[in-house]
């Protein structure tokens, strides 16, 4: 009899608490803070805002809490405290998020995927745009010239871990580490500047990655990833660009969004904006822009593969084509770099090491420089340096030698000495040198 009574109480308890709140994760980014509630089952919920002070209230029906609020990692400046409160209905659980500012939350459930089960996602977009980080300080360029801008996209991030290796290492961390190293190398190059689509562990919408590159007026977009397959055998790096089928589909999408076509770079956007919506002219200009972008992407990928093949194993020695959203921009040459197979135990360990990450970053930089020295965009410092008889001015910095300066600009020490009437290899800090065209 006692056993039956215990079973009855257990069934009643299960009926009363049909769901469990098992975890709370917070992902701050420059545009919003994302809160993810890990649930045992699909959540039934309601939410509303309160003011003075600002609070977001989330009611979870028939839910029991298993989360220790004190153990939640929270680096968001927007969310100041998480607590519970008395619910309006019996059997439900009320969460309260105390906030620094008013928001318009976007709340939606997510079905199980990968390592995650049921989730309730809360996006809190920043209303105050001053929360966004200040743009990176640009290096001074000679009058009338601009820097070559490379947008670097660290794949995945935040709630999206990407591929997971045999030792449970996540692709999103590897891609960000390599991206940061590449950005540092690029920013040390005279006449070049890097822009990161994400600077921390948060997710950026795939379409927005291209938009970030476009707003930065990028000449090139590189998306860094780490490959993965079910079989642990495959190894090596590869480079991917947009397939023609995807290009055609994206062309149609751009035609449907006429108001955004003026944002295209390279002069195409201005021309399109002056066609008065003529679909035939618009299609022609977009076709030309996409064709040039894909041709440039292929040429750049060959230079990058040649350099990567010197320092890492290649899985594919020729550029591959795929239908990938991050490569869709019709106006910016875009490449996806698979740095190696994180699903391979040996490469998983390599991808985690600083020396291997630096090798990959250096090879990518060398490939970019190799291509753009031969094909410098008009109006850039690199184009001025490459022009016959031209020169750019370089101020010697602490720790720089004549050989270091010569390598950076791709010219010989003897040419710099001859161009500046130097009798020795010794240079002093603050000395201004005229760098001849390479």
């Amino acid at each position: 009899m006692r056993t039956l009574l215990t079973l009855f109480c257990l069934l009643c308890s299960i009926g009363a608490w049909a769901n469990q709140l098992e975890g709370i994760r917070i992902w701050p980014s420059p545009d919003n803070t994302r809160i993810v509630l890990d649930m045992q089952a699909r959540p039934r919920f309601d939410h509303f805002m309160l003011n003075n002070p600002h609070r977001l209230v989330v009611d979870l029906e028939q839910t029991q809490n298993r989360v220790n609020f004190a153990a939640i990692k929270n680096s968001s400046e927007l969310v100041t405290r998480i607590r519970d409160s008395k619910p309006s209905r019996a059997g439900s659980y009320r969460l309260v998020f105390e906030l620094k500012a008013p928001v318009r939350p976007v709340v939606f459930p997510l079905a199980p995927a990968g390592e995650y089960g049921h989730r309730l996602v809360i996006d809190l977009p920043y209303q105050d745009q001053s929360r966004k980080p200040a743009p990176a300080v640009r290096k001074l360029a000679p009058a009338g010239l601009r820097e070559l801008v490379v947008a670097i996209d660290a794949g995945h991030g935040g709630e999206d871990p990407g591929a997971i290796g045999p030792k449970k290492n996540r692709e999103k961390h590897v891609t960000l580490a390599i991206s940061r190293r590449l950005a540092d190398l690029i920013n040390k190059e005279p006449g070049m500047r890097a822009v990161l689509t994400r600077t921390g562990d948060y997710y950026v919408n795939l379409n927005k990655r291209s938009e970030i590159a476009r707003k930065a007026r990028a000449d090139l977009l590189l998306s860094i990833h780490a490959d993965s397959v079910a079989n642990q055998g495959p190894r090596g790096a590869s480079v991917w660009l947009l397939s023609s089928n995807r290009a055609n589909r994206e062309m149609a999408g751009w035609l449907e969004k006429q108001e955004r076509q003026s944002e295209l770079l390279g002069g195409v956007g201005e021309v399109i904006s002056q066609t008065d919506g003529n679909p035939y002219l618009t299609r022609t200009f977009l076709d030309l822009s996409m064709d040039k972008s894909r041709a440039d992407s292929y040429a750049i990928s060959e230079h990058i593969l040649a350099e990567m093949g010197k320092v890492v194993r290649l899985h594919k020695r020729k550029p591959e084509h795929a239908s990938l959203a991050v490569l869709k921009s019709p106006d910016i040459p875009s490449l996806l770099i698979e740095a190696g197979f994180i699903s391979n135990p040996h490469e998983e360990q390599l991808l985690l090491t600083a020396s291997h990450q630096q090798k990959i970053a250096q090879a990518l930089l060398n490939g970019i420089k190799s291509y753009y020295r031969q094909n410098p965009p008009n109006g850039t410092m690199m184009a001025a340096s490459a022009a016959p008889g031209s020169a750019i001015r370089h101020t010697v910095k602490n720790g720089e030698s004549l050989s270091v300066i010569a390598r950076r600009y791709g010219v010989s020490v003897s040419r710099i000495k001859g161009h500046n009437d130097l009798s020795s290899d010794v240079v002093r800090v603050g000395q201004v040198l005229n760098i001849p065209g390479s």
Side-chain angles (χ1 to χ4, degrees):
M1 182 66 181
R2 181 176 299 174
T3 303
L4 292 175
L5 182 61
T6 302
L7 180 61
F8 176 77
C9 292
L10 178 62
L11 291 174
C12 289
S13 175
I14 293 174
W17 307 107
N19 209 341
Q20 302 279 349
L21 174 61
E22 298 177 331
I24 299 178
R25 290 171 287 124
I26 302 177
W27 306 99
S29 79
D31 294 319
N32 73 328
T33 287
R34 169 167 285 191
I35 303 172
V36 181
L37 309 184
D38 292 309
M39 309 295 298
Q40 186 182 64
R42 179 179 175 84
R44 290 189 293 165
F45 63 94
D46 192 13
H47 72 279
F48 56 91
M49 290 293 302
L50 294 174
N51 295 318
N52 299 320
H54 304 296
R55 288 154 290 164
L56 168 64
V57 180
V58 179
D59 286 333
L60 300 169
E61 292 189 17
Q62 295 185 342
T63 299
Q64 187 178 30
N65 178 38
R66 288 185 175 178
V67 178
N68 176 9
F69 293 150
I72 298 172
K73 295 180 180 179
N74 177 22
S75 57
S76 171
E77 294 183 2
L78 177 63
V79 181
T80 59
R81 186 187 176 197
I82 303 174
R83 60 179 174 85
D84 55 15
S85 183
K86 184 178 180 180
S88 58
R89 294 189 301 275
S92 67
Y93 181 75
R94 171 164 289 183
L95 269 175
V96 179
F97 298 91
E98 297 184 2
L99 309 173
K100 270 190 177 181
V103 297
R104 293 181 179 179
V106 179
V107 186
F108 56 94
L110 281 179
E115 63 177 319
Y116 297 119
H118 288 280
R119 289 155 290 169
L120 183 65
V121 178
I122 304 167
D123 280 340
L124 306 175
Y126 301 146
Q127 303 297 322
D128 181 4
Q129 296 302 308
S130 65
R131 290 179 179 271
K132 293 187 178 182
V137 177
R138 296 185 59 173
K139 301 188 291 293
L140 294 178
L145 300 177
R146 68 174 181 86
E147 297 160 323
L148 180 82
V149 181
V150 180
I152 307 169
D153 172 50
H156 307 284
E159 185 68 3
D160 174 16
I164 300 176
K167 296 292 185 180
K168 305 305 179 184
N169 294 294
R170 302 183 177 194
E171 180 183 1
K172 66 176 182 176
H173 298 311
V174 171
T175 63
L176 184 58
I178 295 173
S179 297
R180 283 173 170 167
R181 292 179 182 277
L182 177 58
D184 287 342
L185 290 174
I186 289 174
N187 286 330
K188 291 176 182 176
E189 289 290 325
M192 296 182 69
R193 179 167 61 94
V195 174
L196 288 163
T197 62
R198 70 176 178 97
T199 57
D201 187 13
Y202 52 85
Y203 181 74
V204 179
N205 181 276
L206 292 178
N207 292 327
K208 189 169 185 181
R209 297 174 193 240
S210 295
E211 291 178 9
I212 292 172
R214 184 170 295 107
K215 287 179 180 178
R217 295 190 170 271
D219 298 278
L220 173 66
L221 170 62
L222 292 184
S223 187
I224 312 298
H225 287 256
D227 224 334
S228 178
V229 291
N231 178 7
Q232 294 186 358
R235 294 177 59 182
S238 56
V239 179
W240 297 76
L241 52 134
L242 189 65
S243 66
S244 58
N245 288 339
R246 176 64 183 242
N248 291 336
R249 288 200 302 273
E250 293 302 334
M251 190 72 66
W254 276 83
L255 287 170
E256 292 172 1
K257 298 177 180 178
Q258 182 81 19
E259 73 278 2
R260 296 184 61 187
Q261 290 163 358
S262 61
E263 297 176 3
L264 295 175
L265 305 183
V268 176
E270 289 186 26
V271 175
I272 288 174
S273 66
Q274 296 169 10
T275 61
D276 296 325
N278 185 311
Y280 301 105
L281 282 176
T282 299
R283 177 72 192 215
T284 300
F285 290 131
L286 279 175
D287 277 340
L288 291 172
S289 179
M290 178 66 86
D291 287 346
K292 184 180 186 307
S293 175
R294 292 181 64 239
D296 289 348
S297 298
Y298 192 91
I300 298 167
S301 68
E302 291 186 310
H303 284 258
I304 287 177
L305 280 168
E307 293 296 330
M308 291 188 72
K310 298 175 183 178
V311 296
V312 299
R313 178 196 292 252
L314 293 181
H315 181 64
K316 301 283 187 180
R317 295 194 169 273
K318 292 289 185 181
E320 296 292 312
H321 296 79
S323 178
L324 302 169
V326 76
L327 302 178
K328 73 177 188 176
S329 177
D331 53 314
I332 306 173
S334 304
L335 301 175
L336 186 141
I337 311 297
E338 294 284 6
F341 280 83
I342 198 171
S343 55
N344 178 283
H346 177 71
E347 284 202 337
E348 179 187 21
Q349 293 305 310
L350 278 178
L351 289 169
L352 294 173
T353 63
S355 59
H356 192 75
Q357 293 171 359
Q358 194 70 17
K359 281 182 181 179
I360 294 170
Q362 187 66 56
L364 292 173
L365 173 65
N366 292 344
I368 295 168
K369 288 168 61 178
S370 172
Y371 172 80
Y372 281 109
R373 278 178 179 156
Q374 297 178 25
N375 307 274
N378 292 332
T380 60
M381 294 171 63
M382 197 170 286
S385 178
S390 64
I392 61 175
R393 294 164 64 85
H394 176 85
T395 302
V396 179
K397 302 178 184 64
N398 187 34
E400 287 186 331
S401 64
L402 205 57
S403 60
V404 168
I405 296 170
R407 282 199 303 272
R408 285 187 178 177
Y409 287 96
V411 298
S412 65
V413 170
S414 60
R415 287 198 64 200
I416 295 179
K417 290 174 64 177
H419 209 75
N420 293 271
D421 295 325
L422 300 178
S423 57
S424 73
D425 291 352
V426 178
V427 291
R428 67 182 185 278
V429 175
Q431 183 176 354
V432 178
L433 301 174
N434 290 316
I435 310 299
S438 60

